[in-house]
Amino acid sequence: MGSERTEWWGATGDQAGPFDAGTATLSAQGIITGWSEGAQLLLGYLAAEVVGHTAAGLFAEAAFPDTAWCSMAGTREWSGTAALRHRDGHRVDLALGIRRRMEDDGRPQEYLVTAVPHSDGPAYDWPTMLDWAFAQSTVAMTVFDRELRHPRMNEAASEEWGTAEVGIGSELRRRICEVAELGIPMRHEVCADEESADRGSASVVEMWPVRDPVRGEVRGVGAVSLDTSEQHRARQRLALLNEAGSRIGTTLDAASTARELAALVVPRLADFVSVDLLDDVLRGDEPVASAMVLRRIAHETTDETADAPAAEAAVRLGEIVAYPPSSPPARSLATGQPLLARGEDAEFSRWMARHDIRSVMAVALRAREVTLGVAVFGRRRTAPFDQTDLLLAEELAGRAAVSVDNARRYTRERRTALALQRSLLPRRLPEQAAVKAAFRYLPAGSQAGVGGDWFDVVPLSGTRVALVVGDVVGHGIHASATMGRLRTAVRTLADVDLPPDELLTHLDDLVTHVTADETGSAHNAPDSGESSATCLYAVYDPVSLTCTLASAGHPPPVILLPDGTVSLVRLSPGPPLGVGGLPFEATEVELPEGSLLALYTDGLIEARGQELGIGMELLCKALAGPAPSLEATCDNVLKALLPDRPPDDVALLLARTRALHTDQVATWALPANPAIVAVARSQVSRQLTNWGLADMSFVTELLVSELVTNAIRYGSAPIGLRLIRDRTLICEVSDANSAAPHLRRARDFDEGGRGLHMVAQLAQGWGTRQTALGKTIWAKQTLSVS
């Protein structure tokens, strides 16, 4: 073995260091198995002279080897000084280092001994060097005894913890005791409070038991504190960003989103935050650069003693905010870039000093290249903001800005849909004799958007009235537009005076055609459900006191009779509109005068999430309650069934029935004989005189003459004549022929074709409707009282 240089006693022979050293290897029994050239230079022995002999013969103190081996119990390394005998017999003081190599089963395999002259010993005074390393370490290091009474701390630990009695928290003290008791290493993380001056600082304390190398008993606890502040702050930032995804933008409301942003960042990022939005954004409009008016929407603070509004807030919530042009918020708004306050603006700096704000960030809220507002973050006691904080604030503000812009777009669409919907719904109910009606319409208060609920009251011939309520599937402008189509179609079909079941059949065809136009296929279209709808159509006749109803998948109406009995109308409902190919069935019920008929959409009975049966029971109970008027009844129903913000559109139509008594209706059965025309005219004249309408006899007799003549000539028996006196005078002639007449232009020499033309000229309105037995032709005159 050649001369070697090694840095310390534990180095292997192939390492270089600043000292000349000799090395030797010993077996587990202390027999020399290796001898280097450096060892030969130190002691004078050749390798052949010592290899195979015990190492004990080289020591001046024979007891040393046993002492060294005992000292290595429980450890693999030992260092110290020893006196050895040179080959020529003089004493040589050497600094020794011994390292033990182990078998796989844990038994000693051999020992590596490194030696240098004791004169070079200062570098190998290991206790001293360890003390120096301990004291000068930049890592906080501490050694405790078992009772934690006499801790030894290096300078870094003293700076971090102060005195052990004060600086070590109770939780860390408990962990150190556990290490001493259990004899196992532990790790403990120490994090500063969010509102402390050291916000975001953290450290990890590694603790291990210190054992007696001979007996193996735990004598104390060693601890090293490692600064993990950067990693801790990174985890905090990631946690805040992750939480922002679930806490910001939970509603389609710009003000709520601003409040969510403010609540999230205080106190985890800032001690104070304010969020200001442009007025245009709150209205749902596109922001206009020339008219940027800011309004304070939200602010949060850690100052629990401040009155509302917060001490830092220059304005109250809802008020207009005016920032100086050179202030960070104003410049951030102008440039769209986030800014750290540098004190450039004197007025803003005075505001910071007045409220003890040490650091400020201003971040514009921008989404889709549009500036929507600005958020201002401030810190009082904690460390000033840095660029990392600015990047985090920009990310949080960006997420909030997207949600604010979504809310703005939703507000605009909802406002447009509401305007469209209200323009399509009746603003007031038409005057008619059959019923007294009242209604309520409430658009949805949820994020679902405006729906397609509608209602209508349509006067029909013969003083009858049609009551309609419907609901288009879906929400938004599409649903409102579909609702407008259906309401227009119902009014058109009602003018034709179709029976309820036939009207729904035609309406179903219309929805099917609309769906086909939108999807390109009438069947198996993926979006066909978007144009489906439900509808209830009812026709009430105040003469016969009957109501004929038909339903297309719509909830049944409720009837409150004059005696207080409340019941659901038992219908045979057909499928929703748009299904196609299935029939609709009409149901006829008798309604005494003064009965209350309630038509509604499902949003009324499902508003609180209860089952349909429970909702209908609540509706029946609310209708039966005392109320001074129909308007009050509407209010009572809504109060009993709806929350403050109904999740779906609600339409409610109440109609109290009236009756035309016998002194308002005159009816005659006529034979199919032309001679009866004169008799009919005479009977009508007498009836008008009895009603005090003698001055209307001439025109009425002409109308009766033409209508009865046409019924005899072109119709078939039986023939009926009826006069109805209410707000107008109505003349009706019925026959058993279902063929409807129509106007035509008669030529100069034609003998016929002028009768209906004359009827159209004399009456204020005329028409025809199909009946179960044939048809009825009617003519209406404005009532005049002599």
Side-chain angles (χ1 to χ4, degrees):
M1 301 176 67
S3 177
E4 301 173 358
R5 299 179 66 83
T6 182
E7 289 189 12
W8 68 298
W9 56 267
T12 59
D14 59 351
Q15 290 180 314
F19 306 110
D20 293 324
T23 60
T25 57
L26 308 181
S27 68
Q29 292 74 31
I31 304 299
I32 299 174
T33 58
W35 191 258
S36 72
E37 183 179 350
Q40 177 182 342
L41 293 174
L42 286 174
L43 296 179
Y45 292 101
L46 297 174
E49 295 175 317
V50 295
V51 172
H53 299 275
T54 62
L58 298 177
F59 290 88
E61 301 172 0
F64 174 78
D66 294 335
T67 304
W69 308 149
C70 292
S71 298
M72 292 188 67
T75 181
R76 296 191 177 197
E77 297 173 347
W78 179 90
S79 65
T81 60
L84 285 83
R85 293 293 181 185
H86 195 273
R87 187 174 183 274
D88 60 11
H90 74 272
R91 175 176 173 145
V92 179
D93 292 326
L94 298 175
L96 297 182
I98 303 175
R99 173 176 291 178
R100 179 170 54 183
R101 295 178 180 175
M102 310 296 291
E103 297 281 3
D104 293 339
D105 58 3
R107 292 181 302 170
Q109 179 185 19
E110 63 179 355
Y111 297 90
L112 174 65
V113 181
T114 304
V116 296
H118 187 56
S119 59
D120 297 332
Y124 286 83
D125 186 2
W126 299 115
T128 301
M129 290 185 66
L130 288 175
D131 285 344
W132 293 346
F134 179 86
Q136 299 172 20
S137 173
T138 57
V139 178
M141 302 177 67
T142 309
V143 179
F144 301 89
D145 61 9
R146 284 186 60 90
E147 289 73 25
L148 276 67
R149 291 176 301 185
H150 304 290
R152 183 181 178 189
M153 308 173 71
N154 67 358
E155 185 177 353
S158 298
E159 292 178 356
E160 180 173 340
W161 291 336
T163 64
E165 290 78 6
V166 177
I168 299 178
S170 59
E171 179 64 20
L172 178 56
R173 185 177 296 273
R174 185 181 66 82
R175 292 294 182 89
I176 295 173
C177 291
E178 287 183 1
V179 173
E181 293 174 2
L182 302 177
I184 58 175
M186 286 190 181
R187 171 180 288 192
H188 177 64
E189 186 172 7
V190 181
C191 302
D193 187 79
E194 289 178 346
E195 298 187 18
S196 69
D198 297 325
R199 176 205 303 264
S201 64
S203 60
V204 171
V205 181
E206 297 281 354
M207 298 162 285
W208 65 92
V210 178
R211 299 179 182 274
D212 185 324
V214 177
R215 299 183 180 181
E217 297 178 354
V218 177
R219 295 297 188 182
V221 176
V224 175
S225 177
L226 304 173
D227 186 3
T228 58
S229 299
E230 285 302 319
Q231 297 91 326
H232 179 66
R233 294 190 188 103
R235 289 196 302 269
Q236 284 184 316
R237 289 191 291 268
L238 288 175
L240 194 60
L241 287 173
N242 182 62
E243 194 171 343
S246 60
R247 288 186 55 183
I248 296 179
T250 59
T251 65
L252 284 173
D253 180 78
S256 296
T257 299
R259 290 191 292 269
E260 290 164 351
L261 172 63
L264 178 67
V265 300
V266 174
R268 297 168 66 178
L269 176 62
D271 299 321
F272 164 75
V273 65
S274 64
V275 182
D276 308 318
L277 296 179
L278 297 174
D279 257 357
D280 290 339
V281 173
L282 296 173
R283 290 193 298 266
D285 299 327
E286 192 81 15
V288 179
S290 60
M292 296 182 68
V293 177
L294 278 176
R295 197 172 296 275
R296 177 61 47 82
I297 301 303
H299 55 223
E300 287 286 339
T301 178
T302 58
D303 186 2
E304 298 179 355
T305 63
D307 297 329
E312 299 86 343
V315 293
R316 295 178 180 271
L317 291 178
E319 293 184 353
I320 294 177
V321 185
Y323 289 109
S326 58
S327 66
R331 288 188 290 121
S332 181
L333 276 171
T335 62
Q337 299 298 318
L339 295 174
L340 275 173
R342 301 295 186 186
E344 299 90 340
D345 180 74
E347 182 176 347
F348 198 79
S349 297
R350 285 194 296 271
W351 174 84
M352 291 174 60
R354 185 167 62 251
H355 297 296
D356 194 25
I357 302 294
R358 298 177 58 188
S359 181
V360 167
M361 297 185 297
V363 184
L365 301 178
R366 288 178 57 81
R368 304 177 180 93
E369 303 301 322
V370 176
T371 299
L372 309 170
V374 65
V376 179
F377 305 81
R379 280 183 180 174
R380 288 195 207 88
R381 298 174 294 275
T382 54
F385 292 116
D386 56 23
Q387 288 297 324
T388 303
D389 295 321
L390 188 63
L391 290 174
L392 177 59
E394 185 179 13
E395 178 67 23
L396 293 173
R399 295 193 181 194
V402 171
S403 297
V404 168
D405 194 51
N406 289 338
R408 178 187 67 83
R409 291 166 176 257
Y410 167 74
T411 300
R412 180 180 61 188
E413 180 177 343
R414 175 178 169 80
R415 185 179 61 195
T416 303
L418 279 174
L420 173 62
Q421 190 177 52
R422 286 175 178 147
S423 69
L424 296 174
L425 291 173
R427 298 185 178 181
R428 61 182 182 85
L429 299 180
E431 292 291 334
Q432 37 76 40
V435 297
K436 181 178 182 180
F439 67 91
R440 291 290 185 274
Y441 176 78
L442 296 179
S446 68
Q447 298 180 4
V450 178
D453 292 17
W454 92 92
F455 65 92
D456 211 345
V457 176
V458 185
L460 302 177
S461 63
T463 67
R464 295 169 307 125
V465 65
L467 306 173
V468 192
V469 66
D471 184 3
V472 176
V473 172
H475 295 85
I477 294 179
H478 175 80
S480 296
T482 303
M483 175 270 287
R485 288 179 174 181
L486 294 182
R487 179 171 179 258
T488 302
V490 169
R491 277 193 160 267
T492 302
L493 295 172
D495 285 341
V496 182
D497 237 330
L498 293 177
D501 51 343
E502 292 187 25
L503 183 142
L504 291 183
T505 300
H506 287 283
L507 200 61
D508 180 58
D509 292 339
L510 171 66
V511 173
T512 302
H513 294 154
V514 168
T515 301
D517 292 341
E518 293 178 349
T519 63
S521 173
H523 302 287
N524 300 324
D527 298 328
S528 60
E530 293 185 2
S531 296
S532 65
T534 64
C535 181
L536 179 69
Y537 186 81
V539 175
Y540 172 69
D541 188 342
V543 177
S544 64
L545 303 183
T546 59
C547 183
T548 305
L549 311 94
S551 171
H554 203 82
V558 177
I559 295 176
L560 172 63
L561 296 177
D563 62 3
T565 303
V566 184
S567 62
L568 294 172
V569 178
R570 296 185 177 276
L571 296 174
S572 298
L577 300 173
V579 174
L582 298 175
F584 298 95
E585 184 177 340
T587 301
E588 185 175 290
V589 295
E590 293 185 2
L591 295 180
E593 183 179 7
S595 299
L596 181 63
L597 185 64
L599 287 74
Y600 53 91
T601 56
D602 57 4
L604 178 67
I605 57 177
E606 295 178 342
R608 296 188 184 274
Q610 68 266 1
E611 296 180 358
L612 289 178
I614 297 176
M616 290 178 178
E617 289 179 6
L618 292 175
L619 174 59
C620 293
K621 184 177 180 181
L623 288 174
S629 64
L630 282 182
E631 298 292 336
T633 302
C634 286
D635 294 335
N636 292 342
V637 169
L638 298 186
K639 183 178 180 180
L641 276 79
L642 296 182
D644 294 336
R645 292 173 64 85
D648 195 5
D649 285 14
V650 173
L652 173 65
L653 178 61
L654 300 183
R656 191 174 299 280
T657 62
R658 294 171 174 168
L660 294 182
H661 302 289
T662 55
D663 60 345
Q664 295 179 275
V665 181
T667 304
W668 298 275
L670 305 176
N673 186 346
I676 201 64
V677 175
V679 177
R681 294 177 59 179
S682 194
Q683 291 173 329
V684 167
S685 180
R686 285 195 297 271
Q687 185 63 53
L688 292 178
T689 301
N690 293 337
W691 284 343
L693 302 175
D695 58 339
M696 301 182 67
S697 296
F698 178 73
V699 174
T700 306
E701 288 181 20
L702 288 177
L703 293 174
V704 168
S705 178
E706 291 299 328
L707 294 179
V708 172
T709 299
N710 282 344
I712 294 173
R713 179 176 298 176
Y714 303 110
S716 57
I719 298 173
L721 171 63
R722 183 168 73 169
L723 288 183
I724 300 175
R725 175 181 62 86
D726 189 61
R727 289 181 172 83
T728 60
L729 179 64
I730 301 173
C731 176
E732 296 182 340
V733 175
S734 303
D735 67 80
N737 189 342
S738 59
H742 60 277
L743 283 173
R744 63 183 180 88
R745 181 178 298 277
R747 293 187 292 272
D748 292 340
F749 300 102
D750 287 346
E751 295 183 1
R754 297 180 177 83
L756 285 181
H757 183 74
M758 184 173 63
V759 170
Q761 295 298 315
L762 295 175
Q764 278 68 56
W766 76 279
T768 180
R769 66 175 181 269
Q770 299 296 314
T771 65
L773 298 178
K775 67 176 181 297
T776 296
I777 304 175
W778 56 271
K780 177 176 65 175
Q781 301 176 75
T782 302
L783 197 62
S784 64
V785 180
S786 57

